[in-house]
Amino acid sequence: MSKTVTTEPTRRDFLYIATASVGAVGAAAVAWPIISSMNPDASVLAMSSTEVDLTPIAEGQIITVKWQGKPVFISHRTKKEIQEAENVKLSELPDPQPDSARVKKGKEEWLVVIGICTHLGCVPLGHEGEYGGWFCPCHGSVYDTSGRIRKGPAPLNLALPPYEFTSDKAIKIG
Ligand code: FES
């Protein structure tokens, strides 16, 4: 009787691979505090600002970057999302602010907000909720495509970090 030899990875191999990559991530995560404690000046500098290349962010996509230990959402808004944000009556907003005050003039397709719910600090989920912006699953706050609070217990819009465009497709946060 012939024996079939299989080269398929076994379940055990998969578990091993998964464990190995978790290990690698863990090692990277602990490396940062050690490096930063060796060179406090450089670490303070690195923490104070974050440069982001916007080129890979497709229209309609939201990415999260870290700035000073906080999540920052960068949303490459579609025309529809921009229009929805601009067409809202300020009287309908719990924290009234026009969309134009939340984006840079001429760069309305880019919304940059701190990704921390203004209720109790959870990280809201992008492209969720009835206003197409963010939804915070902790207690049900709903934000629109300008990151403004529309429903739920959060009292304020998602905060705006200080940032500037360093070129047509790059920003520096902080
Ligand atoms: S922390 Fe977001 S709704 Fe409570």
Side-chain angles (χ1 to χ4, degrees):
M1 207 168 79
S2 72
K3 201 175 157 197
T4 312
V5 177
T6 173
T7 53
E8 291 275 299
T10 62
R11 190 173 148 70
R12 184 179 296 223
D13 291 330
F14 277 123
L15 285 175
Y16 176 73
I17 292 162
T19 313
S21 44
V22 167
V25 170
V30 294
W32 167 246
I34 294 165
I35 292 166
S36 62
S37 65
M38 285 187 322
N39 190 349
D41 291 348
S43 76
V44 168
L45 215 62
M47 294 284 282
S48 65
S49 69
T50 301
E51 300 243 12
V52 186
D53 175 15
L54 304 177
T55 319
I57 311 170
E59 193 176 305
Q61 194 182 13
I62 300 172
I63 67 152
T64 305
V65 299
K66 225 177 194 184
W67 169 65
Q68 294 191 345
K70 302 181 193 105
V72 171
F73 299 145
I74 302 177
S75 174
H76 188 175
R77 304 190 299 178
T78 62
K79 288 200 169 56
K80 184 171 171 276
E81 288 173 328
I82 297 167
Q83 265 165 17
E84 280 169 4
E86 289 176 345
N87 291 344
V88 178
K89 284 200 203 101
L90 290 191
S91 58
E92 289 174 18
L93 298 171
D95 180 14
Q97 199 177 25
D99 186 61
S100 58
R102 299 181 54 78
V103 292
K104 306 283 188 205
K105 199 169 163 45
K107 294 284 188 189
E108 287 79 6
E109 68 272 38
W110 297 106
L111 178 77
V112 183
V113 291
I114 294 179
I116 297 177
C117 182
T118 60
H119 180 223
L120 293 176
C122 286
V123 178
L125 306 171
H127 291 138
E128 297 283 342
E130 64 197 273
Y131 296 95
W134 287 267
F135 173 69
C136 183
C138 293
H139 314 94
S141 290
V142 184
Y143 298 87
D144 66 14
T145 57
S146 191
R148 293 170 300 196
I149 184 65
R150 301 298 293 271
K151 257 187 173 178
L156 299 171
N157 302 333
L158 293 178
L160 306 173
Y163 73 95
E164 60 183 33
F165 277 83
T166 51
S167 75
D168 205 35
K169 279 292 181 92
I171 58 169
K172 187 169 95 177
I173 307 169

